[in-house]
Amino acid sequence: MRIYGDRNSGNCQKVSITADFLKIPYEWIDIDITKNESRSGAFLRKSPMGQVPVIELEDGRCLAQSNAIIRYLAAGSALLPADPFAQAKIDELLFWEQYSHEPYVATSRYHMVYLGRTKEQREPMRVERGEKALDMMETMIKGRSWFAGEAMSVADIALIAYTRLAHEGGFDMASRPEVRAWIARTEKALGLPPAGKH
Ligand SMILES: N[C@@H](CCC(=O)N[C@@H](CS)C(=O)NCC(=O)O)C(=O)O
């Protein structure tokens, strides 16, 4: 399998974290999004969506969208239980992450890390909604170890990717002790070095 990605992108990190945890071998192909490499003709033939991550299987089939990819990689493993309702509860969080979290937390980070904006130059609407998403996580994880079910799942991987990097987007996690404890727990379970200030 090949993973086309940008190492600094949380969406791409979801894929390498899942593959590493499940010991799925892969070749990593760097795509520099700042040079529009995901919009080249060769890349668009793999995925017309023109974004990373994309995986390419040995038979040439390609799959885009980080959460679709990690769900595919995790099929049959402990990260994705077989029970349909348990899977749907995981999907609930994967969709929520993409609609209510990533566009605000990840994009604010993108503006600061990739575009070099200051914290003050972030878009107020994204900051407000990002803060709301992080508060929602604090509520959801209270009294639980993992976001879905009784064990770590792909939902935790999808959510940790940008949450552990939220400080790089100007978000202060001090008022979210439950989320900080979950980040530490999940990083440990995944064998990840701590991402830092949370
Ligand atoms: N919903 C997509 C989002 C992918 C995405 O936004 N990728 C960014 C990097 S994090 C990208 O490729 N940006 C370059 C571009 O859009 O040209 C996913 O979860 O994979």
Side-chain angles (χ1 to χ4, degrees):
M1 177 177 79
R2 288 188 179 141
I3 301 175
Y4 295 85
D6 173 334
R7 296 252 183 218
N8 206 19
S9 145
N11 283 322
C12 297
Q13 290 169 14
K14 291 176 194 174
V15 179
S16 56
I17 288 170
T18 305
D20 290 342
F21 181 75
L22 295 174
K23 300 194 175 10
I24 299 171
Y26 61 86
E27 179 188 359
W28 179 277
I29 313 284
D30 272 320
I31 298 294
D32 188 340
I33 58 172
T34 65
K35 294 186 180 146
N36 274 335
E37 286 179 2
S38 63
R39 305 285 168 164
S40 72
F43 190 89
L44 291 173
R45 278 192 288 282
K46 298 186 191 306
S47 170
M49 293 170 188
Q51 292 185 314
V52 285
V54 167
I55 61 166
E56 185 173 24
L57 306 181
E58 285 192 14
D59 61 9
R61 286 179 298 166
C62 291
L63 183 64
Q65 295 295 324
S66 57
N67 289 352
I69 296 171
I70 61 174
R71 204 183 184 293
Y72 168 75
L73 295 180
S77 82
L79 291 176
L80 188 68
D83 174 69
F85 190 77
Q87 283 196 8
K89 288 302 284 182
I90 288 171
D91 291 342
E92 181 180 71
L93 289 157
L94 299 186
F95 289 120
W96 181 80
E97 188 265 346
Q98 282 289 293
Y99 190 78
S100 301
H101 181 296
E102 191 260 13
Y104 311 116
V105 177
T107 304
S108 296
R109 172 180 177 263
Y110 178 83
H111 290 158
M112 289 181 68
V113 173
Y114 284 78
L115 304 185
R117 293 189 195 167
T118 63
K119 190 175 168 182
E120 292 67 36
Q121 288 170 326
R122 294 175 304 163
E123 293 174 14
M125 175 277 278
R126 291 190 196 277
V127 174
E128 186 191 324
R129 293 186 187 183
E131 295 285 359
K132 205 171 145 192
L134 295 169
D135 284 342
M136 175 66 75
M137 286 182 71
E138 183 74 5
T139 303
M140 289 194 287
I141 198 64
K142 197 169 171 51
R144 323 176 44 89
S145 295
W146 312 105
F147 271 91
E150 301 305 317
M152 184 174 70
S153 73
V154 283
D156 296 288
I157 295 178
L159 285 168
I160 201 171
Y162 284 109
T163 306
R164 72 200 283 260
L165 303 177
H167 58 283
E168 295 181 1
F171 296 96
D172 183 354
M173 301 302 282
S175 63
R176 293 154 184 139
E178 304 286 344
V179 173
R180 283 190 282 117
W182 162 79
I183 289 173
R185 183 159 59 244
T186 308
E187 285 179 335
K188 191 169 172 211
L190 291 169
L192 297 174
K197 243 179 110 188
H198 46 68

